[in-house]
Amino acid sequence: MNYLKLNRFSHHLQVSFARLNVICRSLYKLCAPDELKYRKNIDQVKLSDSSILAMLIWQTEIGIESQRRFCKFFVGLSHSRFNRRARMLLPLMRCIRQAWNQEVKIAGEFLIIDSFPVPVCQPIRNYRVKIFRGIADIGYKATKKIYYYGFKVHAIVSDDGYVLWTPYRRNMKGAKKHNDHQLMPIRRTIESDFSLLSYYNAENNWARSLAGFQQRLEIAILAYNMAYCLERFN
């Protein structure tokens, strides 16, 4: 392996909201489970499920972390109702992700595995916070040299090339023998992808319930993958 040539995509969602709404409507028709599409009183909702999905993706794209603030200016629903509707779409987000996983060809490509921390509170509250008791834990964020309370998300990122383990960072035990200079572009690849996930608020998840946490993480990954697919296949 003399060199690694990687094809990169920007992963920025460069579409209008109207176009995004059309895309989400198509995804809803293709991927939504029957229990969501045919639930009771579905014909009486003010906003369709596909419009809610488009709004959630749009929120991540324009960088508004506070859902309350987003609802105040952009949504015709109360904050509490919008939250309930958003959590109801969690099975839909999973179905879309699984469908795309089947469609995107990754044969003969790198599968890069790494993780990133998702704090759920400020470090000063690590030992006093009550949310996610028994689920979240204290971890260490080596890049900023701070302890955090929250979760660690493990991700697999694909790219053209070979299948290999992720190279170690310099501050990891055993890094010297694993940090081959030929593998460092792969490290930069996944760190670039994680920075883009941060752009979609994957690391700034201030949800107060497990369902809300999962929904916000899923929507960040969905927005990221949608941008990838639109750039790669259009």
Side-chain angles (χ1 to χ4, degrees):
M1 184 170 58
N2 296 324
Y3 65 92
L4 297 172
K5 185 177 181 180
L6 304 175
N7 296 322
R8 306 300 301 135
F9 299 92
S10 69
H11 302 282
H12 289 291
L13 196 59
Q14 300 175 1
V15 294
S16 66
F17 180 76
R19 173 61 177 157
L20 179 61
N21 214 357
V22 172
I23 293 171
C24 289
R25 197 178 304 131
S26 298
L27 289 172
Y28 186 84
K29 291 179 180 178
L30 290 171
C31 302
D34 289 344
E35 57 268 24
L36 182 65
K37 286 195 290 187
Y38 304 116
R39 68 183 185 274
K40 187 178 180 181
N41 297 328
I42 183 65
D43 57 330
Q44 298 179 18
V45 297
K46 292 182 179 180
L47 285 174
S48 66
D49 290 341
S50 60
S51 294
I52 296 289
L53 180 64
M55 287 180 178
L56 288 168
I57 296 173
W58 190 252
Q59 179 187 353
T60 65
E61 173 61 29
I62 62 180
I64 298 180
E65 295 181 18
S66 170
Q67 208 163 74
R68 189 179 300 276
R69 178 168 168 249
F70 180 72
C71 290
K72 182 178 179 180
F73 293 103
F74 295 96
V75 183
L77 296 175
S78 67
H79 173 242
S80 59
R81 179 165 293 186
F82 184 73
N83 261 336
R84 287 197 300 271
R85 294 286 304 279
R87 289 195 296 269
M88 288 175 63
L89 297 184
L90 187 55
L92 170 63
M93 298 172 198
R94 289 171 178 160
C95 288
I96 294 173
R97 174 165 52 83
Q98 291 166 1
W100 282 354
N101 288 348
Q102 297 296 322
E103 291 295 327
V104 176
K105 304 298 183 183
I106 59 173
E109 298 180 350
F110 284 112
L111 294 179
I112 313 167
I113 304 172
D114 206 349
S115 60
F116 61 89
V118 183
V120 297
C121 68
Q122 296 297 329
I124 196 171
R125 300 187 66 241
N126 281 352
Y127 295 95
R128 294 185 287 114
V129 67
K130 295 181 179 180
I131 59 171
F132 302 122
R133 283 281 179 89
I135 305 174
D137 206 347
I138 302 290
Y140 184 68
K141 193 172 184 178
T143 54
K144 294 187 177 180
K145 298 181 179 180
I146 59 172
Y147 288 92
Y148 69 93
Y149 175 82
F151 300 92
K152 180 170 282 189
V153 176
H154 296 267
I156 300 174
V157 180
S158 65
D159 212 322
D160 295 338
Y162 303 86
V163 177
L164 74 163
W165 290 109
T166 310
Y168 282 33
R169 292 190 182 93
R170 291 184 183 276
N171 57 355
M172 291 181 179
K173 185 179 180 181
K176 186 175 181 180
K177 63 181 179 181
H178 288 85
N179 267 336
D180 189 296
H181 71 280
Q182 294 175 330
L183 299 180
M184 295 314 294
I186 308 302
R187 163 59 60 192
R188 288 191 289 271
T189 293
I190 197 166
E191 288 179 348
S192 174
D193 290 329
F194 281 176
S195 69
L196 285 166
L197 281 173
S198 297
Y199 170 80
Y200 290 115
N201 292 328
E203 294 186 22
N204 298 322
N205 194 325
W206 305 119
R208 290 297 176 263
S209 69
L210 190 58
F213 181 90
Q214 292 174 322
Q215 177 262 309
R216 292 193 180 201
L217 184 59
E218 284 281 359
I219 207 68
I221 295 172
L222 181 61
Y224 172 90
N225 284 338
M226 181 179 288
Y228 169 85
C229 290
L230 287 173
E231 184 174 358
R232 179 175 176 180
F233 300 116
N234 286 347

